[in-house]
Amino acid sequence: MGYRWRNKQEVDEAVVVVMNSLDSEGTLKGWLVRTLKQSIADSDAALGTYFYEEIKAHAPAALKYFEVVEG
């Protein structure tokens, strides 16, 4: 279950969690990816865009976890 981000600071905190997870484990756990995807869906679209921008800048290896697969 995600939560609604209210501001950029909350998004920044999520980005730090992603960065730390990649640094320590080399991957992102499924529960973390699901939680963040739900947060993106539940939050203002501008904050979702900001999340992607920050991930691209600070943890580009994590982008593959958030790709939308069409099929």
Side-chain angles (χ1 to χ4, degrees):
M1 179 169 101
Y3 64 95
R4 187 180 308 264
W5 292 321
R6 294 171 292 174
N7 55 51
K8 287 184 176 182
Q9 180 179 343
E10 290 181 347
V11 176
D12 290 341
E13 291 168 357
V15 171
V16 170
V17 170
V18 170
M19 292 168 51
N20 288 341
S21 293
L22 285 175
D23 286 346
S24 67
E25 300 173 24
T27 189
L28 299 181
K29 302 283 187 187
W31 67 265
L32 178 57
V33 174
R34 287 188 301 275
T35 300
L36 291 172
K37 284 182 176 182
Q38 191 62 50
S39 294
I40 293 164
D42 290 348
S43 299
D44 183 89
L47 292 174
T49 299
Y50 178 70
F51 174 80
Y52 284 114
E53 291 170 354
E54 292 299 296
I55 288 295
K56 188 175 182 179
H58 302 289
L63 286 173
K64 65 183 178 187
Y65 295 96
F66 301 100
E67 291 177 340
V68 175
V69 178
E70 295 182 24

